[in-house]
Amino acid sequence: MNAVDLHRRLERHSGLLIFGILFVSAIGGLVQVLPSVLDDRLATPGPDVKPYGPVELTGRDIYIRESCGTCHSQQVRPLLAEVRRYGAFSRADEFAFDRPFLWGSKRTGPDLHRIGGRYSDVWHRLHLLDPRAVVPDSIMPAYPWLGERAADAEGDIQAKMRALRLLGHPYTDADIEAAPAALEGLTEVDALVAYLQGLGTSTGGDTR
Amino acid sequence: MPAGERYHDRVAGWLTGFAVLWSLLGMTAGVYIAAELVWPTIDFGQEWLSYGRLRNLHTNAVIFGFGVSALMATAFYSVQRTCHVPLFAPGLAWFVALAWQATLLAGGASLLAGWTGGKEYAELEWPIDIAIAVVWVCFAVVFFGTIARRRIQAIYVSNWFYGALIIVIAMLHIVNSLAIPVTWSKSYSLFAGAQDAIVQWWYGHNAVGFLLTGGFLGMLYYFLPKHADRPIWSYRLSIVAFWAFTYSYIWAGPHHLHYNAVPEWVQSLGMIMSLVLLAPSWATMVNGVMTVAGAWEKLRTDVALKFIVLSLAFYGLATFEGPMMSIKSVNVVSHFTDWTVGHVHSGALGWNALITFGTFYFLVPRLVGAELHSTRLANWHFWLALAGVMLYVLAMWGAGVSQGLLWLSLDEIGELSFSFKDIMASMAPYYALRLVAGVVFLSGAVLMAINLWMTVKGRVIVRVAPPAVAESAA
């Protein structure tokens, strides 16, 4: 039976055709994606990479809510110009607690992976609430509502930490117990700034 | 054939209408965010008008609202005619059509409220994701149920592509959306960091592959021969291209992660398979062009065919540009820049939107058994669409290539030549041009909506019976 005859059978039998499509389209995923998902080296945090505390986690979820990742990447590529501009290139072990990953695909604004510690808290706060107050040519949106809303307005921080513990993030009962208190009195902008200030501060053991 | 049996075309007609509405909504959102990049204060401090939220509405409305509604409409229309049998479970087909709109309306509102899983083109949160999966399975039941009852022995090639769309998108959507829910509006991805990135771009690239490419190739394989009134040029080429396409597309995702923190072998494999993909992509384009060849004189009179032929040209352009951008040394420049945005739009506007417009100009008059209201208006739409997409792509090439090269530029002592801020500020003319391009393209779509509305106004959908040919004619 030649290939054309084989195909004639395939195209006359809907069940075979469905199976054929599923089989052929699954191969790539099974060979390329599945081994990566099972590769522990890609999921092991570096020695100084810690799970996000309640304030940083809240800030990160605000970053996701406002889709900051649409315009800002978090991925410094190992290229000379990129390392000059942003700092050390990004390593897989720094993202083991990132659900979802926020590497992004577009830099309308600059990369943020090494933004932690680059600017003062006051600068960030001003910049987030009114970007053009500190960067006159900026086309970033202003986020005035972040300054008005309490960081724990949703009251779901403990549920979030419990969900993440289910996925293997090492939070203790005491961590979860203490979480609401850590957010008390903070606004959303405080939480977001705390997240940004912690971004990319892992050195991977390199202290130069 | 039971007496009085008729095709179920009303559901396809309504889906066509929904697709037109989504195209207007999605493109308006796109134009608005393009304007926000020119005048950043026009969100007026409103959360729901903020760039980040509207951008998610834009992409979801055009891909899942416009794109999928159009694919459902044309799949329902063509599967009946290629199988010589009315839709299986027509009630379920209506459920698919209406539940899809309801799900996306809720989804759109949730995106404006800031509900997002944070993965590109998979932003919708878990309750919406589950609704999508349910509707999709029903879509599969109607589609494959119709094929199973067919009266033609061979399954026509357009149905393989629609079938691949249904099967592969189900697989990708379910795996990539796996998450632990926290509240109704929040969940955490089952995968983390680098692994999440690899899974996401396996999904993301193949949403482009099997929805925006494969699904619309199904549309092409049915409507192009109908338009041109000639059979597909090479049936054998369509077989080879289909299987090569289905096999190789799925590997290409990691070209979105070049020089990112994922293993080198994953990146290189993604690049090689992206280059391989050029073969089936162009084989299909050649098959399409050769099908029209010999019917070129129709282009003078048939405005719908003009749209389809132009869409084939953009399909060829985008499927050449894509593999080129997946080459690591090209990607160093193009990645993270507006070049990517331009590439996506040469595909989405030039290929997906134009072939859909052409198909609608063909389909809607037939559905109601009337002539198109105005050929002149449709011709205006054609030239506006062509001008819009060309301006858009040129603006984004200019912006993207400048960004890529200027970001990497070092002076003679190895210091950065330009600050990010200065490069960003120099983008203003390109972003203004992009806004103009968007307005031009959108205004063409508005003309189409008016034209199609005037065509169907006061008319009902014609009830067509399957042809009374002998069973199993093949």
Side-chain angles (χ1 to χ4, degrees):
Chain A
M1 186 167 64
N2 64 33
V4 174
D5 290 333
L6 175 73
H7 200 268
R8 191 151 291 152
R9 272 181 61 184
L10 209 59
E11 70 192 43
R12 286 173 186 209
H13 195 299
S14 50
L16 270 182
L17 187 65
I18 293 172
F19 176 77
I21 291 170
L22 194 59
F23 176 74
V24 168
S25 68
I27 297 171
L30 293 175
V31 176
Q32 185 189 41
V33 176
L34 192 64
S36 309
V37 170
L38 298 175
D39 186 347
D40 280 342
R41 291 170 304 176
L42 294 178
T44 310
D48 59 349
V49 177
K50 300 277 176 289
Y52 295 100
V55 181
E56 290 81 6
L57 183 64
T58 302
R60 189 172 196 273
D61 288 337
I62 294 165
Y63 185 100
I64 293 168
R65 185 187 74 201
E66 302 303 344
S67 295
C68 303
T70 297
C71 293
H72 295 283
S73 57
Q74 290 188 16
Q75 186 71 205
V76 182
R77 296 177 293 175
L79 308 170
L80 182 57
E82 206 133 296
V83 172
R84 279 273 151 80
R85 192 179 298 282
Y86 300 116
F89 63 81
S90 304
R91 307 179 315 272
D93 69 70
E94 298 178 86
F95 302 99
F97 298 115
D98 281 21
R99 291 178 199 271
F101 79 114
L102 291 173
W103 298 356
S105 63
K106 178 69 177 36
R107 288 176 185 157
T108 304
D111 188 273
L112 296 180
H113 188 212
R114 301 291 176 203
I115 197 74
R118 283 275 190 109
Y119 298 85
S120 69
D121 287 2
V122 175
W123 185 91
H124 273 303
R125 172 187 281 278
L126 278 171
H127 181 247
L128 286 164
L129 299 179
D130 182 9
R132 276 153 296 282
V134 283
V135 183
D137 285 335
S138 171
I139 54 170
M140 184 170 121
Y143 295 91
W145 56 91
L146 298 183
E148 294 155 14
R149 201 176 296 153
D152 63 348
E154 304 284 333
D156 56 2
I157 185 64
Q158 290 185 319
K160 284 178 174 179
M161 292 171 81
R162 266 185 237 111
L164 287 171
R165 186 158 69 174
L166 214 60
L167 290 163
H169 293 214
Y171 293 121
T172 63
D173 287 337
D175 291 338
I176 295 175
E177 194 63 37
L183 289 174
E184 233 171 68
L186 299 184
T187 58
E188 288 193 334
V189 76
D190 297 324
L192 184 52
V193 171
Y195 167 65
L196 293 172
Q197 294 291 31
L199 264 183
T201 48
S202 148
T203 60
D206 185 350
T207 50
R208 274 175 297 175
Chain B
M1 184 180 73
E5 199 178 53
R6 295 284 186 276
Y7 287 145
H8 299 287
D9 285 340
R10 278 188 68 215
V11 63
W14 276 86
L15 277 165
T16 302
F18 291 135
V20 172
L21 292 178
W22 280 113
S23 80
L24 296 181
L25 176 74
M27 288 180 201
T28 303
V31 166
Y32 203 84
I33 55 176
E36 286 183 336
L37 290 179
V38 178
W39 304 291
T41 55
I42 58 168
D43 60 10
F44 308 109
Q46 299 297 313
E47 292 177 49
W48 65 275
L49 267 181
S50 179
Y51 181 92
R53 310 230 183 147
L54 273 185
R55 193 269 188 179
N56 293 342
L57 179 72
H58 165 59
T59 53
N60 281 276
V62 292
I63 298 171
F64 301 109
F66 171 52
V68 172
S69 296
L71 289 172
M72 284 175 171
T74 53
F76 286 162
Y77 181 86
S78 65
V79 73
Q80 303 182 88
R81 282 159 177 81
T82 50
C83 294
H84 283 190
V85 68
L87 281 182
F88 172 72
L92 195 61
W94 275 106
F95 170 78
V96 169
L98 299 176
W100 186 256
Q101 312 309 320
T103 302
L104 285 189
L105 274 181
S110 76
L111 290 171
L112 292 183
W115 295 23
T116 165
K119 293 201 204 182
E120 212 171 352
Y121 313 121
E123 289 86 358
L124 295 165
E125 262 297 351
W126 67 274
I128 310 283
D129 279 342
I130 291 174
I132 288 174
V134 170
V135 177
W136 205 257
V137 170
C138 298
F139 181 25
V141 170
V142 174
F143 184 79
F144 289 115
T146 308
I147 288 183
R149 294 200 311 169
R150 73 191 179 281
R151 296 202 184 99
I152 304 269
Q153 220 178 20
I155 302 170
Y156 181 63
V157 54
S158 64
N159 292 322
W160 316 342
F161 279 98
Y162 283 119
L165 156 79
I166 293 170
I167 294 168
V168 180
I169 292 296
M171 169 175 84
L172 298 168
H173 171 73
I174 291 169
V175 173
N176 190 48
S177 301
L178 291 174
I180 301 282
V182 180
T183 60
W184 285 103
S185 63
K186 180 71 194 168
S187 62
Y188 287 115
S189 172
L190 196 63
F191 312 102
Q195 296 177 335
D196 197 35
I198 293 170
V199 173
Q200 154 64 17
W201 285 112
W202 169 75
Y203 163 87
H205 189 70
N206 291 295
V208 176
F210 287 86
L211 204 161
L212 297 177
T213 310
F216 285 84
L217 287 177
M219 198 187 277
L220 179 83
Y221 271 118
Y222 180 77
F223 287 95
L224 178 67
K226 278 281 167 195
H227 269 92
D229 206 14
R230 298 161 59 89
I232 274 292
W233 178 62
S234 167
Y235 182 72
R236 198 172 292 198
L237 188 59
S238 74
I239 296 177
V240 174
F242 174 77
W243 291 107
F245 162 89
T246 304
Y247 173 76
S248 40
Y249 224 117
I250 209 87
W251 300 75
H255 68 223
H256 292 259
L257 297 169
H258 279 336
Y259 295 104
N260 286 13
V262 297
E264 174 68 35
W265 72 268
V266 174
Q267 299 177 28
S268 299
L269 197 54
M271 167 177 136
I272 291 163
M273 294 309 281
S274 304
L275 289 167
V276 168
L277 204 44
L278 185 57
S281 302
W282 274 35
T284 306
M285 181 188 64
V286 167
N287 215 351
V289 170
M290 294 307 288
T291 302
V292 192
W296 293 120
E297 78 287 349
K298 280 194 143 199
L299 282 179
R300 282 209 306 268
T301 50
D302 185 344
V303 63
L305 189 62
K306 273 203 296 206
F307 273 98
I308 299 215
V309 169
L310 183 62
S311 81
L312 260 178
F314 274 100
Y315 171 76
L317 181 79
T319 54
F320 175 75
E321 191 186 26
M324 293 307 112
M325 291 170 79
S326 78
I327 297 171
K328 286 181 87 172
S329 46
V330 177
N331 194 272
V332 158
V333 176
S334 75
H335 198 49
F336 294 130
T337 71
D338 279 302
W339 188 351
T340 309
V341 181
H343 172 62
V344 171
H345 283 82
S346 77
L349 300 177
W351 155 239
N352 299 127
L354 291 186
I355 190 174
T356 307
F357 296 160
T359 297
F360 285 180
Y361 281 126
F362 174 89
L363 178 63
V364 171
R366 271 167 184 74
L367 280 174
V368 295
E371 290 286 310
L372 183 66
H373 169 68
S374 165
T375 308
R376 198 161 156 256
L377 220 50
N379 266 314
W380 268 95
H381 179 198
F382 177 82
W383 291 107
L384 287 172
L386 176 57
V389 63
M390 285 308 293
L391 285 176
Y392 195 107
V393 171
L394 288 174
M396 292 296 97
W397 273 338
V401 175
S402 310
Q403 286 160 352
L405 294 175
L406 296 175
W407 289 342
L408 293 173
S409 167
L410 298 172
D411 65 17
E412 59 275 15
I413 55 164
E415 294 296 326
L416 294 169
S417 306
F418 308 98
S419 76
F420 188 93
K421 218 161 41 180
D422 290 346
I423 300 170
M424 194 272 293
S426 74
M427 291 300 125
Y430 297 117
Y431 287 178
L433 182 59
R434 184 248 304 267
L435 172 60
V436 172
V439 170
V440 169
F441 196 89
L442 173 64
S443 57
V446 170
L447 292 187
M448 176 188 71
I450 295 169
N451 204 355
L452 293 182
W453 174 247
M454 295 303 288
T455 304
V456 300
K457 204 176 81 171
R459 296 198 165 88
V460 291
I461 288 180
V462 182
R463 310 266 286 140
V464 181
V469 290
E471 305 258 321
S472 305

